[in-house]
Amino acid sequence: MKRLVLSIVALLLALSATQSARAADRPITIVDDPRILATLDARGYGFAGLFGVDGSDDLKSLYDEAPAYHAIVDTVAGDVAALRGDMKTGGRTLYEVTDGNVGRIIDMRWLKTNAARFRLVGVVNRLDRGDFAALGNETSCGEVRFIYRLAYSFKKNGKQLASRLPFNFSAIYRVAQDADGGCVGAAGRWTPQLDETVDAGWLTGGPLEKTSLSFKQLELNAQVVRFPSGQETEFGGQAAYLMRIFGIDGSAVGEKPLENTPDMARLAEDAELKARLADYVRANAAAVDLGVYEIPDEFLARKVVSWSTFGSARQANHPFTPLFDPKDFAGLDYSKLKLVRTPEALVERLDNGACQGCHQAGSTAGFHFIGLDDATTSPLNRLEVGISPHLHAEIPRREAWLKATAEGKEPNRFRPLSFAPPAAWKDTGEVAYAPAETAMPCLMPEDASRFGGTWQCGAGTVCMPIATASGVRTKLAQCLLPRKSDKIFSGYPCLTGTIASNSAQPFNDRYKITGQFAAFAPAISRTAYTCRPPKIGVPGGFAYRACDDKDRAFAAFKPGKPMPSEICGLVGGKKFDICVATNNFDQCLGGAVNRGNRPACSADHFCREDYMCQSLPADTPGAAKVRGIGFCSPTYFIFQMRIDNHATPWATTARASLGAGFGAAAEE
């Protein structure tokens, strides 16, 4: 037990040390510094280079000059049109621009305008994907991923308007093997020496040297539809994310299968095909347990849509659960498997390994990499943390894999569930999970019993269900305080609910509040917590206490002391929305921005599902005292996390950004 505690302490200390510019002796797993990325973007690693376009990289130029990009945009437009038609048939009409509480859909003009481009927001070292390359007899040392996010910048009415949008492309490159056919050198190049600085020059002359990279595919993950909380008054809002993979060969574009993601419609209709997939799962149960498997292409989808909110619980994000009865896998020997101990756990493991399963469990707004903001972003629209809880937990695993590979040792190839907390990865192959923090995911005892080697709740919390969905076995549960605890804080969930799943039309899933378990004050005050309802945009409810003078001065934040659970952050409203969209900061400062207590967050302490870490503006009084600490906002409160109702370079018939999202401001 002492060794376990020491391992966890060491893990937490390691996680608290960020990947700085001189991260000697630790392999680089992600590059997220906007300055380094801007240099790479300008040195031949930009999005336009994927299509052989030099010079202007605005999206009008790309659409006009690059046949492959043109074809990809047209494919996405067809997907969006089909989804729009399905939703209209299901009673959900969508609008590109609206100030009403109705569904919103991406305006495809964003992908064709000279006011927008795909900006490089991250580079991700995925040499550990070499485990998958070996499955397909691919001669590579894994992958490097370049993450591009849709961003616009233009002048309107004398103002410079700029923001990012929740629309990502990831360019995947294979990494060449060493001259001897191994990967020791390829892995070692990601670890800077004591006298080396991790900058663009170090990267391009080392791990990102172009002759060592060959293009594999382009992956899309994009928010295309959003329903505001004023329409989804109990859900607190919904969003849909389109996921695809494209192959590019000159001007030709092909649709590629999504890894380990079943084509549910085709499998449901073809009993023989479904039986062959079941045979594959039975024959490869050990690989599925390890998390390193590759379902054959014949079973896979070419397009899926993932859904939030409560994404980890939604039936649509559990694609194997409706396909298979656990009895289909009852005859397997689970005694020697590491994680999967029952047929139910095997199906859940498959769900979590599918694209929509992974990107809606342990994610942030459907993404694992969002990236940090550059200087053009409004101080009221900035993120403090640009990665998901899953990626944060993955970093020590990937570091251990890289270190072992660089030393010529056999790495630990096991992949945890995507919503697992960070762990210490030992040379002996043991995995010691850190306790999950308050409001982080956990497995209820009846769910945990199906798995081996799971984790515990920490900090005096217990695992409690927040939401259950029909057709899904595993509950959405979080590590919560005992019901009468005096340690409650602003942003703590306060409501439970159930989701009535609609398997044919997930956009018509219905959430029903079933109970309240915290924050019982009848009204907002500075001394007690009241439960704010989802209709104002706060999924799961939101315990709230108004800021007092000490909160505004960040009096609870002390150097060298643990970070308090709550911080006096920002709350907005419709006026706030408009001033961010139009860059009218005088209007913001003149009354559109209010202060309110929110959960405190940082690069080491994450927000609960459906919330993300927003930055305090640098001119907030006392902000220097809490540098590196942000506040948890509901995902779609953050302007750049919505695909809809941005100011546009073209004429619109609705005001820039009215709509649900910041509805709490007037009441707070």
Side-chain angles (χ1 to χ4, degrees), residues 36 39-41 43-45 146 199-213:
I36 294 175
T39 303
L40 291 174
D41 209 332
R43 288 188 182 178
Y45 293 85
F146 293 82
D199 56 17
W202 182 86
L203 290 163
T204 57
L208 299 185
E209 203 277 318
K210 286 195 171 183
T211 59
S212 68
L213 304 178

Side-chain angles (χ1 to χ4, degrees), residues 488 490 519-531 543-546 597:
I488 189 174
S490 286
F520 291 101
I524 294 172
S525 78
R526 292 179 171 81
T527 57
Y529 293 90
T530 190
C531 183
Y544 180 72
R545 179 180 66 82
N597 274 316

Side-chain angles (χ1 to χ4, degrees), residues 14 35 38-39 71-72 80 163-164 205 209-210 250 335 357 384 428 431 453 459 463 495 515 540 543 547 607:
R35 295 165 298 180
T39 303
I72 288 170
V80 170
S163 181
R164 299 188 295 168
E209 203 277 318
K210 286 195 171 183
S335 63
E384 187 65 34
T428 57
V431 179
C463 193
L495 300 173
C547 297
C607 305

Side-chain angles (χ1 to χ4, degrees), residues 550-602:
K550 288 184 177 180
D551 296 323
R552 291 174 179 272
F554 306 117
F557 291 80
K558 308 287 186 184
K561 299 293 185 182
M563 183 180 74
S565 297
E566 64 184 10
I567 186 171
C568 188
L570 302 183
V571 296
K574 291 182 178 181
K575 291 180 181 179
F576 178 93
D577 252 7
I578 295 170
C579 76
V580 174
T582 57
N583 206 16
N584 288 320
F585 297 121
D586 51 344
Q587 179 184 353
C588 295
L589 297 174
V593 176
N594 300 305
R595 301 285 295 278
N597 274 316
R598 294 287 183 259
C601 54
S602 70

Side-chain angles (χ1 to χ4, degrees), residues 188-210:
R189 281 193 289 276
W190 285 94
T191 301
Q193 301 304 304
L194 288 170
D195 60 346
E196 293 180 325
T197 298
V198 179
D199 56 17
W202 182 86
L203 290 163
T204 57
L208 299 185
E209 203 277 318
K210 286 195 171 183

Side-chain angles (χ1 to χ4, degrees), residues 155-240:
K155 279 191 174 181
K156 195 169 189 177
N157 299 326
K159 296 282 187 178
Q160 187 70 33
L161 308 178
S163 181
R164 299 188 295 168
L165 294 167
F167 197 111
N168 278 18
F169 277 115
S170 299
I172 315 302
Y173 287 81
R174 298 182 183 92
V175 178
Q177 292 179 327
D178 302 339
D180 64 1
C183 296
V184 171
R189 281 193 289 276
W190 285 94
T191 301
Q193 301 304 304
L194 288 170
D195 60 346
E196 293 180 325
T197 298
V198 179
D199 56 17
W202 182 86
L203 290 163
T204 57
L208 299 185
E209 203 277 318
K210 286 195 171 183
T211 59
S212 68
L213 304 178
S214 59
F215 180 77
K216 179 180 179 180
Q217 60 196 31
L218 187 66
E219 299 180 356
L220 170 68
N221 185 17
Q223 185 190 118
V224 292
V225 171
R226 189 176 75 86
F227 296 113
S229 59
Q231 182 182 23
E232 296 280 0
T233 56
E234 297 214 348
F235 251 131
Q238 278 201 77

